Amino acid sequence: MAVFTQLSYDQVAVFIKRFDVGKLIQIKNVQLGTENSTFFINTEQQQLVLTLFEQCEYDELPFFIELLDFLSLHKLPVKGPLYDISSIALKRLAGRPALLFHRLAGIHPNKPTSGQCSAIGETLGKLHFISQKYKVARPNPRDLLWIKAHHYKVLEYLRPDDKKLMINQVYSLEKHIGYENNLPKGALHGDLFRDNTLVNGNIICGLIDFYNGCTGDLLFDFAILINDWCSDENGNIIESRYSNVINNYVTYRPFTELEKIALPYMLRLTALRYWISRLLVRYVSPIANPKDPNQYRNILHSRCIQGCPPIHKN
Ligand SMILES: Nc1ncnc2c1ncn2[C@@H]1O[C@H](COP(=O)(O)OP(=O)(O)OP(=O)(O)O)[C@@H](O)[C@H]1O
Ligand SMILES: N[C@@H](CCO)C(=O)O
C-alpha cells in the first residue's frame, strides 16, 4: 500500500484543470512505494503520475524540483514535474504538497541483467559527472552524523550480537570515513534502488523518487546502488553485477585514489544507514510502510566479513 491520503475524482479533476493535460478519465492508487501517496492519472491526452508528499514539507521540495530540471536539461533519464498554466509546479492537494509528472515507460529491474547493471553504472557515472557542477547545496540528511545521532534509538530492539555489530561499525566508520573528508562531492539521488529505476531491456527509461536527493559524497550514492543492485539474498556481493556497474561507472567518472580506499567503508556506511532507517520505521516512528531491516543487517555483516571485490578498471 502506498496511498496514505485518499483522493476523490473531483479533487483530482479540479487539481489538473490548471495543467494543460485534458479532462480527467481515471485515477488509480499505486501500490508500490513506502513513503508518499502515488496515483496514476489518465486524462484524455496523457498518462500522468500524481505524488502527494507525506513526509517532506513544502519548503523542502524546490531543491528536488530544481535538481530534476537540471538533470533533465543535461539529458539524463530524469523528468522534472509538469508546470501549470501559471508556470507553477509545486501545489497543495488534500493538505499535502503535490507534484504532477509524466508517467514514464518501463519496469523495475528486480533481477537486473548484466546489460542493465552496465546501463545503471553508465547512467550514475554520467549523473555524477554532471552533478559536480550543481550549485545548490542540501546537506546529506542521512550521513554519518545522522547515523551517530540515531543509532541509539534502535539499539534496544537488537539482539546482543547485532547491537555489538552496530556500535562497532559506528566507531569504525568514524575512524575510517569521518565527518569531514576530501571525497569528491556533488548532487546525489540519495536512494537509487532498483525500485526507483525504470528500464526497458537494457535502456534506463527513468530515475524517479529524488526525495532523498542532497549534496555530498558521490561515493555515498554509488555505494547505495551497489548494495541494492548487486547483493544476493544473504547480503553477499554478486561479483558479475558489481563489475558491470563499476566498470561502466568509472568510464564516465573515474574514482580518486581516496575513493578506492574508502569504497569498502562507504558500502558499510550506507548499509548501516538503511539498517537504522528501516528499524526506525518499524519500531520508533512508523510513518511509512516498513521494509525488512535484517536485509541491511545482512548486507552490513557481509561487507564486514568479505569487504568488496577489487576495482579492475579506472
Ligand atoms: N514518473 C513515473 N513514471 C512511472 N511510474 C512511476 C513514476 N513515479 C512513480 N512511479 C511508480 O510509483 C511507485 C511509487 O513512487 P515513488 O517511488 O515516488 O514512491 P515513494 O513512496 O516515494 O517510494 P520509496 O519507497 O522508494 O520512498 C514507483 O515505484 C513507480 O512504480
Ligand atoms: N529505499 C528505502 C525506502 C525509501 O526511502 C529502503 O529500501 O529502505
Side-chain angles (χ1 to χ4, degrees), residues 75-91:
K75 311 261 179 283
L76 271 304
V78 174
K79 285 272 173 282
L82 274 73
Y83 287 78
D84 76 0
I85 48 177
S86 310
S87 302
I88 295 169
L90 181 56
K91 308 278 207 173

Side-chain angles (χ1 to χ4, degrees), residues 77 206 228 270:
D228 178 66
T270 52

Side-chain angles (χ1 to χ4, degrees), residues 145-185:
L145 267 176
W146 177 87
I147 290 174
K148 174 83 173 172
H150 287 78
H151 82 286
Y152 296 109
K153 299 181 185 172
V154 298
L155 288 175
E156 65 180 288
Y157 304 103
L158 301 180
R159 300 187 320 229
D161 55 337
D162 283 352
K163 202 184 275 190
K164 198 167 150 200
L165 172 67
M166 188 175 280
I167 291 170
N168 286 346
Q169 282 308 305
V170 174
Y171 286 130
S172 164
L173 292 166
E174 282 184 307
K175 187 167 149 214
H176 292 287
I177 298 262
Y179 296 103
E180 282 179 19
N181 60 52
N182 292 321
L183 295 168
K185 315 280 185 234

Side-chain angles (χ1 to χ4, degrees), residues 34-35 191 193 212 274 278 291:
T34 60
E35 293 180 337
D191 196 30
F193 278 53
N212 284 281
Y274 283 104
R278 288 180 176 193
K291 285 185 173 177

Side-chain angles (χ1 to χ4, degrees), residues 205-273:
C205 305
L207 309 181
I208 59 170
D209 193 0
F210 272 74
Y211 315 115
N212 284 281
C214 58
T215 48
D217 301 332
L218 299 174
L219 198 65
F220 180 91
D221 229 9
F222 181 80
I224 289 174
L225 189 156
I226 293 293
N227 281 339
D228 178 66
W229 285 66
C230 307
S231 297
D232 68 16
E233 61 281 6
N234 299 314
N236 298 327
I237 285 185
I238 301 170
E239 292 206 22
S240 55
R241 289 190 193 170
Y242 173 86
S243 56
N244 279 315
V245 173
I246 210 163
N247 288 341
N248 285 278
Y249 180 91
V250 298
T251 302
Y252 294 90
R253 200 200 63 89
F255 287 135
T256 64
E257 290 308 312
L258 199 58
E259 284 180 305
K260 290 181 195 168
I261 296 165
L263 180 56
Y265 299 106
M266 198 58 97
L267 290 167
R268 294 187 203 176
L269 189 151
T270 52
L272 190 51
R273 172 254 185 267

